[in-house]
Amino acid sequence: MDFELTDEQKAFRETLRTFVDKEIVPVATEWEHSGRYPAEIVEKMKQMGLFGLSVPEEYGGLEADMVTFALVFEEIARGWMGVAGTIGSHSLACWMIARHGTDEQKRRHLPDLATGARRTAIALTEPGAGTDLQGIQTRAVRDGDHYVVTGTKTWITNARHADPLPVLVKTSVEQPAHRGMSVLLVDPASPGFGISRDLPKLGYKGTETCEVVLDEVRVPVSALLGGVEGRGMQQVLGGLEMGRVNIAARAVGVAQAAYDAALAYSRERTAFGQPISDFQAVQLKLADMATEIQAARLLTYWAASQADGGRRVDMEAGMAKYFASEVALKASLESMRIHGGYGYSQEFVVERLYRDAPLMAIGEGTNDVQRMVIARALISGKGKVGW
């Protein structure tokens, strides 16, 4: 049993850590509060090849293993969780195209997506359907060699930069819901495609989150992901396993940043003539935070390593996402308590971490859903705990 990263993974992590500490941490608080889009950071991530994380090498990507994939999101989220969003949904969509796309779709899209010359995202959620994806209402009706798509998608990260935008649609209402769904690679320049608004958010700022309207958008049949109708739910669920490792790793990064800030502040802040780190109440908080963060990290990288073994990891990824996101919520609040009044001030990083953390408990499937996924795997015998 080996809990160590490979030499290549360690070197990659150090490169990422240097990048985050030099390019992201110094500007994150100011840019986040001003609502500035991190264009300069995005350009540097392009140069580092990070937009090609899940793109095969033959199309110019890094084709990173899942452990390396998790490392990227932990480190970037440690600096600014919103920036991680610019490559999060992009990487998921690239994975779906690489795994399920036709040869022509791969050749057409993946080389540009690998370099970041074009970006992508994924449009699943609707105003009336989030957790219950089978309840989506967006319809794609076949009309000759095109589909005519009508519907609304919401909470779409990277919406203004997505080219193409994979959209989950209903291509059949006669089939059972899970068999009547498909993914279409929609060109945002198509007539009828529009972004109706930016959604105001508590946190997760830096990257845009939008509502997308499709008003009788004509999409070529050649843009049907994989070329066969009815496989959309299967394609999406496979991608969401990867997405949950992504969210778990982001949660670990946010929790680590909260702990780092709390530890540093406890050493510097004095009360009653001594550093507050000398007080047992503060020490107990730090001990709990450190223990829970390391447990979350190990669970996340265990899920990632299981995925690297070619296994289905719906239970493992669900465990990691559920536990790590709850740890991020708790760590950000405990860090704020250690900071006292300063933790509530926008001059300190903790308040941003406190606002960013809740997203991980909701995104890529709520934590209640993750618990249901875990329980069903255990009851069915498909998953187990122990050796």
Side-chain angles (χ1 to χ4, degrees):
M1 185 177 295
D2 187 358
F3 290 97
E4 290 293 320
L5 300 174
T6 66
D7 289 342
E8 184 178 12
Q9 289 166 342
K10 288 177 182 178
F12 192 56
R13 182 190 61 188
E14 290 309 308
T15 298
L16 285 165
R17 189 164 291 176
T18 299
F19 164 67
V20 169
D21 290 339
K22 181 180 177 182
E23 305 290 346
I24 299 180
V25 171
V27 301
T29 296
E30 178 187 348
W31 290 10
E32 199 260 3
H33 289 157
S34 67
R36 176 175 172 178
Y37 187 80
E40 296 90 335
I41 295 172
V42 169
E43 287 304 313
K44 288 185 171 65
M45 291 196 296
K46 289 181 184 179
Q47 295 168 16
M48 295 173 69
L50 297 183
F51 283 90
L53 272 177
S54 57
V55 177
E57 291 181 353
E58 65 183 293
Y59 298 103
L62 295 180
E63 199 171 359
D65 60 83
M66 284 298 294
V67 170
T68 299
F69 178 83
L71 283 170
V72 170
F73 287 97
E74 178 184 348
E75 287 300 321
I76 293 178
R78 180 180 61 82
W80 184 1
M81 207 276 287
V83 170
T86 63
I87 58 172
S89 55
H90 171 94
S91 297
L92 193 158
C94 287
W95 182 90
M96 287 176 55
I97 295 171
R99 177 65 62 91
H100 301 293
T102 64
D103 290 341
E104 191 278 331
Q105 288 167 349
K106 295 175 187 179
R107 289 193 300 268
R108 179 178 179 186
H109 298 298
L110 291 179
D112 280 352
L113 294 176
T115 63
R118 287 190 288 137
R119 289 183 250 166
T120 186
I122 186 163
L124 307 179
T125 302
E126 298 183 3
T131 298
D132 179 18
L133 285 179
Q134 295 188 52
I136 65 168
Q137 298 300 310
T138 299
R139 287 281 283 118
V141 178
R142 182 74 177 261
D143 180 23
D145 59 357
H146 283 75
Y147 291 98
V148 179
V149 183
T150 302
T152 300
K153 296 292 183 177
T154 194
W155 293 107
I156 311 305
T157 299
N158 276 351
R160 282 196 169 83
H161 297 89
D163 178 18
L165 177 62
V167 179
L168 183 65
V169 300
K170 282 189 174 180
T171 44
S172 172
V173 292
E174 285 77 29
Q175 295 281 348
H178 66 283
R179 295 181 181 174
M181 303 167 75
S182 304
V183 174
L184 296 177
L185 305 177
V186 178
D187 181 347
S190 303
F193 181 97
I195 294 173
S196 58
R197 64 186 179 120
D198 287 84
L199 298 172
K201 299 173 291 186
L202 172 69
Y204 188 46
K205 299 181 179 180
T207 186
E208 80 277 22
T209 306
C210 304
E211 188 171 84
V212 174
V213 175
L214 301 106
D215 183 9
E216 297 188 352
V217 176
R218 295 186 66 82
V219 180
V221 171
S222 61
L224 174 66
L225 184 63
V228 179
E229 287 188 6
R231 296 184 178 176
M233 192 60 149
Q234 174 189 356
Q235 293 165 347
V236 165
L237 290 179
L240 287 176
E241 290 183 16
M242 175 183 184
R244 287 165 186 159
V245 172
N246 161 7
I247 294 295
R250 286 198 227 180
V252 172
V254 169
Q256 183 70 47
Y259 166 78
D260 290 342
L263 179 62
Y265 184 79
S266 72
R267 289 167 170 167
E268 297 166 359
R269 175 68 170 175
T270 59
F272 306 102
Q274 57 185 313
I276 65 171
S277 59
D278 288 350
F279 298 134
Q280 189 176 59
V282 173
Q283 292 175 355
L284 295 177
K285 289 182 185 299
L286 292 171
D288 286 347
M289 290 168 68
T291 301
E292 290 168 1
I293 291 166
Q294 189 62 3
R297 177 176 286 113
L298 291 173
L299 195 55
T300 298
Y301 287 93
W302 168 68
S305 66
Q306 292 296 300
D308 280 332
R311 294 182 50 198
R312 280 288 304 274
V313 292
D314 45 352
M315 185 189 78
E316 293 86 346
M319 285 180 168
K321 187 269 184 188
Y322 161 50
F323 185 76
S325 60
E326 293 295 334
V327 168
L329 282 165
K330 183 178 178 182
S332 61
L333 178 58
E334 292 300 281
S335 184
M336 183 176 286
R337 286 174 165 157
I338 289 173
H339 280 77
Y342 286 116
Y344 205 65
S345 167
Q346 288 191 346
E347 294 178 349
F348 285 71
V349 71
V350 181
E351 64 86 26
R352 169 164 57 84
L353 302 173
Y354 181 73
R355 288 185 289 106
D356 280 345
L359 177 67
M360 269 79 74
I362 299 169
E364 303 295 307
T366 66
N367 280 357
D368 284 342
V369 168
Q370 304 313 312
R371 293 159 71 192
M372 291 165 57
V373 169
I374 294 163
R376 287 169 182 169
L378 295 171
I379 293 167
S380 69
K382 294 178 180 179
K384 67 175 183 177
V385 173
W387 303 114

